[in-house]
Amino acid sequence: MDLRIDRESPVSLYLQISGGIKQLILAGRLPDGFLLPPERRLADSLGVNRTTVVNAYQQLKADGFVDAHVGQGTMVLPRRPKEPEGKPAQPLAWRQLAREGAAREPDPLVRDLLALTERRDVISMAVGLPAPEMLPLDAMGRIHARLLAERGAEVFLHSPTEGVTAFRDAICRHMVSRGIQCTVPEVLVTSGSQQALDLVARAYLAPGDVVVVEEPSYFGALETFRVAQARLMGVPADGDGMRTDLLENLLARQRPKLIYTLPTFQNPSGSVLSLERRRRLLELAYRYQVPVVEDDPYSDLRYEGQTVPSLKALDPSGYVVYLSSFSKILFPGLRLGWIAAPRPVIRQLALTKQSVDLHSNTLGQWMVERFITEGLFSRHLEASRTEYARRRDAMIEALEGEAAEGFTWNRPQGGFYVWCTYPETVSPSALMQEAAQEHVAFLPGGASFVGDPGQNHIRLNFTYCEPARIREGIARLMRAYRAVAAKPRSAERLQGGTPPIV
Ligand SMILES: Cc1ncc(COP(=O)(O)O)c(C=O)c1O
């Protein structure tokens, strides 16, 4: 046993001996079951008192490294964590340990309702998903096999934080079809758009910073900004998107850090910001020097009407940080989205991403790169548009056929959602409960607002279910609505205002 002691050291001899033996055990040089030399022999060989070695062995025993039995000597124990003695007096209060502002639990009613959407017997119009049967499984299977044959292990290895270069290049080419010119260094691949929102928040928002959003807005983004402890300021929106006539006052007074907007086929309302308002929004952003985050996962899905250029396409001055995603058209589980922005922004966000997940899924990036480059993406997009237009029409026709008094809806020209409005006299939570009884699910509108929505809303997705299921879903929803509308809401709850659903 190679053990040395230093008589000049201020550390006592027994601790030097026990420390040296611990190091030998941890380095694997004294295996499990190894018998340490008898105390007297080790004392003689080191030239120390026997008591010093006895103390060293006792220390090793107390630290769980060895065990000793009379007549058997002192033996190295297998290394396993020492069991704590007894149980803690109280369980750890994990909820209280979470940092202030960390993500909140959703309202139990909403959580249960969303859980319902997993069940086959429930018709879910609550989700924001593409139609599973439209997804190009065969083509992806072939691409996958070819990639493994051609590139081997490379597709499973690390890739640059900014993204696989060929994939970033394919994204740039795809964005040309959206009227956006950008180069590879201006693109950062993200693990879905949700990560893009998180990176923007981490890199640019400090607690208390003001973020301007249109109302309603994407619930997931509002949550991300809340977790960053930003102060959300809502600007009302109508059928033409954010009311830019109300924006200037807010910019002048609040000096926000960011404007977050979904100009095209908005989630949840399906609205499109008019060209005139897009220009006005940019003018105001320039005047008040506020960056604009444009969230655009849906603009490829236009079913009718004239294309309106994105804010990014209208912005030569580098104020717009553009976010998009493959989740709504291809596989959401691939978790692939991207940010297109000026180079300093991409550099900053790539540094931020490095501390979050190093890089996005390498294999997924290669697969989607092939899918785009082989021309399959544009064909798949065309097929999706045709099918989703059919599903939207099925939903609108079903609503027209089943229309209940006071229940209204819009007719979006693209995207995923129909936005419905109903009177304040009908309780949103009662409607949700009744809908659950009818085995139909939708997204309640309350969570999409920063403040009081003033009216009741629900968001209905029309891409996920086939037309026959959509028709049945609307029939069930309207049965639930009629049942709830027939029982007026209690006066007490109305006076208290609509309780926030989430
Ligand atoms: C407007 C908007 N932004 C971002 C996301 C997040 O999408 P993902 O992270 O799947 O790309 C969604 C998903 O519903 C969305 O609707």
Side-chain angles (χ1 to χ4, degrees):
M1 206 164 63
D2 182 16
L3 207 55
R4 267 163 226 182
I5 52 174
D6 175 4
R7 288 173 199 284
E8 306 295 312
S9 164
V11 179
S12 57
L13 289 174
Y14 88 94
L15 283 178
Q16 289 189 46
I17 296 169
S18 61
I21 294 175
K22 274 184 205 168
Q23 276 180 14
L24 292 172
I25 293 173
L26 292 173
R29 289 173 58 196
L30 302 182
D32 297 352
F34 181 85
L35 266 183
L36 296 185
E39 290 139 1
R40 185 171 304 286
R41 206 168 78 214
L42 183 59
D44 288 348
S45 73
L46 293 173
V48 298
N49 221 308
R50 180 171 169 256
T51 328
T52 307
V53 177
V54 169
N55 288 341
Y57 281 11
Q58 275 172 0
Q59 184 65 46
L60 284 167
K61 190 174 174 193
D63 292 343
F65 280 80
V66 299
D67 203 3
H69 291 286
V70 181
Q72 290 178 2
T74 304
M75 184 188 287
V76 173
L77 282 175
R79 291 299 301 145
R80 66 171 96 83
K82 217 177 151 200
E83 296 276 324
E85 282 163 25
K87 288 197 169 161
Q90 286 183 345
L92 206 49
W94 280 109
R95 275 168 195 253
Q96 282 158 31
L97 291 178
R99 154 179 95 68
E100 200 187 328
R104 299 167 301 155
E105 289 279 345
D107 181 283
L109 204 55
V110 174
R111 194 191 50 218
D112 293 349
L113 195 89
L114 292 179
L116 271 184
T117 66
E118 311 254 299
R119 285 179 20 194
R120 263 315 281 173
D121 60 331
V122 171
I123 297 181
S124 176
M125 298 182 288
V127 292
L129 295 175
E133 62 282 3
M134 290 289 296
L135 295 178
L137 278 183
D138 291 345
M140 280 301 199
R142 281 193 299 275
I143 288 176
H144 183 251
R146 241 185 302 134
L147 273 172
L148 291 199
E150 287 166 13
R151 297 199 168 262
E154 184 192 357
V155 295
F156 293 113
L157 298 180
H158 281 309
S159 49
T161 302
E162 292 81 356
V164 168
T165 308
F167 181 49
R168 294 161 82 198
D169 188 55
I171 289 173
C172 291
R173 280 183 271 123
H174 176 58
M175 279 200 293
V176 174
S177 70
R178 298 186 184 178
I180 298 172
Q181 304 287 340
C182 70
T183 58
V184 166
E186 294 166 320
V187 171
L188 171 69
V189 174
T190 58
S191 303
S193 272
Q194 194 63 38
Q195 184 183 55
L197 288 162
D198 182 55
L199 295 178
V200 168
R202 281 172 193 258
Y204 291 104
L205 295 180
D209 280 348
V210 171
V211 175
V212 169
V213 299
E214 66 233 1
E215 286 193 281
S217 184
Y218 169 50
F219 170 68
L222 301 185
E223 272 306 285
T224 299
F225 297 140
R226 284 191 187 113
V227 169
Q229 299 183 32
R231 279 192 300 140
L232 294 171
M233 299 262 164
V235 177
D238 58 22
D240 284 334
M242 185 193 286
R243 293 263 315 267
T244 44
D245 56 321
L246 303 177
L247 180 62
E248 178 156 21
N249 207 354
L250 201 58
L251 298 188
R253 282 164 186 264
Q254 299 290 341
R255 296 280 158 175
K257 196 72 177 284
L258 288 180
I259 300 170
Y260 169 72
T261 183
L262 303 93
T264 311
F265 311 132
Q266 211 245 13
N267 178 3
S269 72
S271 70
V272 175
L273 187 69
S274 68
L275 182 58
E276 196 190 334
R277 288 191 188 176
R278 286 175 195 234
R279 294 215 162 98
R280 180 74 182 137
L281 174 60
L282 286 174
E283 255 168 48
L284 291 172
Y286 296 161
R287 182 173 320 151
Y288 292 95
Q289 304 246 302
V290 189
V292 179
V293 176
E294 175 178 26
D295 195 355
D296 186 32
Y298 301 103
S299 65
D300 281 337
L301 296 170
R302 176 174 279 283
Y303 314 129
E304 63 191 41
Q306 282 283 312
T307 301
V308 188
S310 64
L311 292 170
K312 176 82 181 148
L314 293 170
D315 165 42
S317 310
Y319 269 54
V320 175
V321 175
Y322 179 86
L323 320 183
S324 195
S325 171
F326 289 102
S327 290
K328 305 299 169 184
I329 295 161
L330 270 179
F331 299 90
L334 281 175
R335 306 306 304 134
L336 286 176
W338 72 94
I339 302 175
R343 287 177 194 218
V345 179
I346 295 298
R347 263 199 302 277
Q348 178 62 62
L349 295 177
L351 285 174
T352 308
K353 182 172 159 87
Q354 253 168 20
S355 69
V356 176
D357 72 349
L358 300 186
H359 60 80
S360 298
N361 179 323
T362 308
L363 174 62
Q365 294 186 57
W366 277 112
M367 287 178 69
V368 179
E369 185 278 327
R370 291 284 87 212
F371 197 71
I372 296 174
T373 304
E374 291 175 14
L376 299 171
F377 189 79
S378 43
R379 261 188 273 160
H380 171 65
L381 199 49
E382 207 42 61
S384 303
R385 284 191 198 112
T386 308
E387 179 57 22
Y388 294 162
R390 201 166 78 88
R391 295 184 182 202
R392 177 206 54 183
D393 293 346
M395 181 171 278
I396 300 286
E397 272 165 34
L399 283 165
E400 282 165 0
E402 301 277 346
E405 180 75 24
F407 192 96
T408 61
W409 58 90
N410 65 352
R411 185 178 193 280
Q413 292 192 325
F416 265 35
Y417 312 107
V418 167
W419 183 237
C420 308
T421 307
Y422 59 95
E424 251 204 290
T425 46
V426 178
S427 153
S429 50
L431 179 57
M432 274 168 60
Q433 273 164 340
E434 192 66 34
Q437 299 290 323
E438 290 282 353
H439 291 195
V440 62
F442 56 83
L443 194 83
S448 305
F449 290 81
V450 175
D452 184 352
Q455 284 169 308
N456 289 327
H457 298 279
I458 62 177
R459 187 195 79 179
L460 298 178
N461 166 269
F462 56 80
T463 56
Y464 183 66
C465 295
E466 289 161 18
R469 255 172 105 73
I470 291 179
R471 282 190 282 275
E472 174 58 22
I474 296 295
R476 293 183 190 182
L477 172 64
M478 284 304 150
R479 266 204 305 276
Y481 178 79
R482 286 200 174 86
V484 177
K487 301 179 227 147
R489 221 170 152 181
S490 80
E492 183 203 345
R493 290 199 56 191
L494 264 182
Q495 278 159 14
T498 310
I501 295 173
V502 170

